[in-house]
Amino acid sequence: MSRVFPTVREVLALPPVRHGAPRLVAGEAGLDRPVRWVHVAEVPDIATLLGGGELVLTTGIGLPGDDAGLRAFIGDLAGVAVSGLVVELGRRYLSGVPRVMVAAAQRHGLPLVELRRVTPFVRITEAVHALIVDAQLTELRATEEIHQRFTELSVEGADPPEVIRQAAELSGCPVVLENLSRQVLGYDPAGEPAELLLDGWEQHSRRIRPAGRTAYDPDSGWLVTMVGARGEDWGRLLLRWPGGGDLGGPGGAMRAAGAPPTRLTILVERAASALALGRLIRRDAEGLVRQVHRTLLTALLDRSRPVDEVALRARGLGLVLERRHLVGVVVRHRSDEPAGDGGPIADSGGDADWAPTGGDPGPARLRDLAEAVGQALIEANLTGLTSAVDDQAVGALLALPDPAAEERALAAFAAALRRNRPRVAGDLIIAAGSGVGSLREAGRSLTEARQVAEAARRDRRDLPIFRLPHVGLAGLLHLLRDEPRLQTFVERELGALLAYDARHPREQLLGTLRAYLQQGRNKSAAASAAHLSRPAFYERLARIGRILDVDLDSVDACLSLHVALLALDAIRTP
């Protein structure tokens, strides 16, 4: 995919320009500036008529005769960010342009070129404009390919690694997908070393601060867009443009030369849309009966179907859910990966989170667990709906005759499940929600069970069944760690301090704040725990207060910061 506009260097290589025997006399650093148009001018005040990016051609016959006027002429052209100035010798200037013009152009970084042979300017303008139009057509075709490719990916429900791979392939640039806590969800290095791309990613990402929902950060060279749907963002998609960074020159004129073309902005936005859509519509293929079970459990969880319809369809499966005591149960493994089956892969495909391990045992393990849960219900003489509720957990809605049977039924179910899977019994988590008396409340019990099961992964106790009272604040934050609103809360409370630490890695003020809060705001004890003198510790606390704009003597403010720290730990812990 080529650029839309040729550079000054490329224009000087065109046959009509070479015919004029061009010689660069100043501004070599600006040869890679894009040429948006070619303009012929013979008046000294032409700058007011230009918009930037033009290559100005002149014979010099109308230029000022004094040094001050020539300096002002060059300064005015540089001020409107023209790409360069080409002067044909022979009419006004015979052997070369005046030295004062050369010095002024060099000072402003403006390419100044002499044509030592008479050349019709019309041939130059025709050649350059043809090059621009051809590049624009190429850009249009490339944009159409982007739209077509990502439309196909959206319709096919492509998974994130494929969307990221296609974005990197179409752009030829590294692409990274991260969540709101700056954790990498997927990436494609586009042929570059993945280790260099991802090393210290969180700190690097926090320094990338584009101004807008989709924008280019010239300081870092990253094009960034938010990823989300239905008004809720859950991540960022970043593309590194190799033309980025400061290319030198005055102000931002040269920096703009490295800005990515419009097609890349379109590309990252279409890729972000495909990622958001895929997250909404992704579903697994299952057997027909299990599909019905899953459909009904999902309907109870997200209230997507009327309760009466769920009860009717359940009766069609031989399950009576009305006038029963209902208990939601969720079963999962404590670890996401089977022990001894390897771990996430970070190869040239670049995606550790979605990479298969050992032939991708995940779906097979989930199917085995679902079958074991179903068999345990049969052995315990229980009835209910059962199905996978996500990629790691199996849910069940037990239909009991009355509340008195709840504890006995759960104990029988847990015992039967562990008998069926003795090899991994210690790795199993069985969580139950609060019992409810109507089908309309069943979703609450299932949701509670799923949250308790997720939080219990951090609890090393070997409990037969985990219930809500077993989950503390750390567990609650752990199960909410992927919630964008929690991540937004952490960024709001600690983002300024995390950004400061990213810019000053030797100071690490976050550790100072952690010591202060963990010691119950006892400054002397916190200074001792942090191995700092009290004056140094007090100065650090004062700096933290200024950075966060918060009173660290306030109980409410410190409580909010402590919760944010615990949430940050939960987010950073797999």
Side-chain angles (χ1 to χ4, degrees):
M1 290 177 152
S2 61
R3 295 181 303 274
V4 175
F5 301 116
T7 64
V8 176
R9 190 189 308 275
E10 291 168 340
V11 169
L12 295 181
L14 293 174
V17 182
R18 291 205 311 270
H19 175 78
R23 179 174 62 189
L24 179 72
V25 295
E28 181 178 1
L31 286 178
D32 290 319
R33 291 181 176 182
V35 176
R36 187 177 59 84
W37 205 246
V38 177
H39 197 89
V40 179
E42 300 294 353
V43 292
D45 58 349
I46 187 61
T48 58
L49 304 177
L50 302 176
E54 296 91 352
L55 181 65
V56 178
L57 308 181
T58 183
T59 62
I61 58 176
L63 298 188
D66 60 302
D67 289 355
L70 289 175
R71 291 192 193 96
F73 174 70
I74 294 296
D76 290 344
L77 292 180
V80 296
V82 300
S83 298
L85 175 64
V86 177
V87 181
E88 182 187 79
L89 303 181
R91 299 195 182 189
R92 174 69 181 275
Y93 309 117
L94 299 179
S95 59
V97 297
R99 292 182 179 178
V100 65
M101 287 182 66
V102 175
Q106 187 65 33
R107 185 168 62 255
H108 288 285
L110 178 69
L112 177 60
V113 179
E114 296 176 341
L115 292 182
R116 293 168 289 171
R117 186 184 304 157
V118 176
T119 301
F121 283 170
V122 66
R123 293 181 181 173
I124 296 177
T125 59
E126 286 177 346
V128 176
H129 293 168
L131 196 63
I132 292 173
V133 170
D134 183 64
Q136 288 176 330
L137 288 174
T138 301
E139 185 80 357
L140 185 62
R141 296 189 189 100
T143 301
E144 177 63 26
E145 182 183 358
I146 289 170
H147 282 296
Q148 181 177 350
R149 187 81 62 90
F150 284 104
T151 297
E152 293 173 353
L153 291 174
S154 297
V155 171
E156 294 170 357
D159 58 9
E162 178 62 16
V163 174
I164 295 170
R165 187 188 70 79
Q166 293 282 356
E169 178 181 303
L170 288 170
S171 64
C173 305
V175 177
V176 176
L177 174 65
E178 64 176 16
N179 65 14
L180 296 181
S181 293
R182 309 300 195 266
Q183 295 173 321
V184 176
L185 302 178
Y187 65 92
D188 190 307
E192 297 186 11
E195 295 79 7
L196 295 179
L197 179 68
L198 299 181
D199 184 42
W201 175 259
E202 180 181 343
Q203 289 188 341
H204 176 65
S205 174
R206 291 185 183 280
R207 293 193 290 267
I208 304 173
R209 305 178 70 88
R213 184 171 179 82
T214 300
Y216 176 65
D217 179 24
D219 292 328
S220 62
W222 285 90
L223 177 62
V224 186
T225 190
M226 299 302 298
V227 183
R230 296 176 179 173
E232 184 173 308
D233 295 327
W234 50 265
R236 297 199 306 177
L237 187 66
L238 302 94
L239 181 149
R240 191 174 68 200
W241 170 240
D246 193 347
L247 300 178
M254 285 304 293
R255 194 180 298 276
T262 303
R263 60 177 163 79
L264 289 188
T265 300
I266 295 173
L267 185 147
V268 296
E269 289 181 337
R270 288 303 310 272
S273 297
L275 288 167
L277 182 61
R279 180 163 165 147
L280 290 175
I281 67 174
R282 194 168 296 113
R283 294 291 184 268
D284 293 329
E286 299 175 291
L288 291 179
V289 174
R290 190 164 294 173
Q291 274 188 355
V292 176
H293 277 247
R294 181 165 189 169
T295 297
L296 298 182
L297 281 178
T298 301
L300 293 172
L301 283 166
D302 61 19
R303 303 181 187 277
S304 58
R305 295 173 184 268
V307 171
D308 293 341
E309 180 183 342
V310 173
L312 181 63
R313 296 192 63 179
R315 280 204 304 273
L317 297 173
L319 300 174
V320 178
L321 301 180
E322 304 102 314
R323 295 184 295 280
R324 292 291 189 273
H325 182 72
L326 305 173
V327 181
V329 176
V330 168
V331 181
R332 62 159 299 142
H333 291 274
R334 194 177 298 274
S335 60
D336 285 342
E337 295 294 340
D341 283 331
I345 297 173
D347 57 12
S348 59
D351 192 289
D353 288 275
W354 288 295
T357 60
D360 194 8
R365 186 172 72 150
L366 187 64
R367 284 194 300 271
D368 290 344
L369 183 58
E371 291 174 2
V373 169
Q375 184 61 32
L377 288 178
I378 295 173
E379 292 184 10
N381 293 318
L382 300 172
T383 60
L385 295 170
T386 177
S387 170
V389 290
D390 57 40
D391 293 339
Q392 301 292 342
V394 176
L397 181 65
L398 306 186
L400 307 176
D402 54 67
E406 181 176 322
E407 293 299 327
R408 186 174 63 256
L410 289 173
F413 169 76
L417 182 59
R418 285 187 162 85
R419 282 197 306 271
N420 290 336
R421 297 180 66 81
R423 186 176 62 85
V424 293
D427 185 51
L428 282 182
I429 293 173
I430 304 173
S434 302
V436 296
S438 75
L439 191 56
R440 296 186 185 279
E441 298 176 284
R444 175 169 58 83
S445 182
L446 285 165
T447 299
E448 181 179 307
R450 182 155 64 175
Q451 292 175 343
V452 170
E454 179 63 19
R457 296 175 64 195
R458 294 168 60 91
D459 194 324
R460 291 295 127 184
R461 291 176 295 176
D462 187 19
L463 299 180
I465 299 174
F466 283 87
R467 307 297 295 265
L468 188 59
H470 299 133
V471 180
L473 177 58
L476 174 66
L477 293 174
H478 179 74
L479 66 90
L480 294 174
R481 68 190 186 281
D482 292 326
E483 170 61 45
R485 285 173 291 187
L486 181 66
Q487 296 176 6
T488 300
F489 167 75
V490 171
E491 290 300 311
R492 184 176 67 245
E493 294 293 317
L494 299 175
L497 190 61
L498 293 170
Y500 180 91
D501 281 352
R503 294 192 301 270
H504 306 85
R506 293 189 177 184
E507 296 190 31
Q508 294 303 307
L509 295 180
L510 187 70
T512 302
L513 178 62
R514 187 187 300 277
Y516 175 65
L517 297 175
Q518 286 178 343
Q519 296 299 322
R521 299 189 298 121
N522 185 321
K523 296 179 182 178
S524 298
S528 176
H531 305 292
L532 292 170
S533 66
R534 280 186 289 181
F537 189 83
Y538 297 164
E539 192 277 332
R540 279 175 163 248
L541 282 183
R543 199 180 324 155
I544 292 170
R546 291 193 298 271
I547 292 170
L548 296 179
D549 191 23
V550 68
D551 180 8
L552 291 179
D553 290 325
S554 166
V555 174
D556 289 340
C558 288
L559 175 61
S560 183
L561 291 173
H562 202 174
V563 173
L565 271 175
L566 292 174
L568 179 65
D569 292 341
I571 290 168
R572 287 177 169 176
T573 302

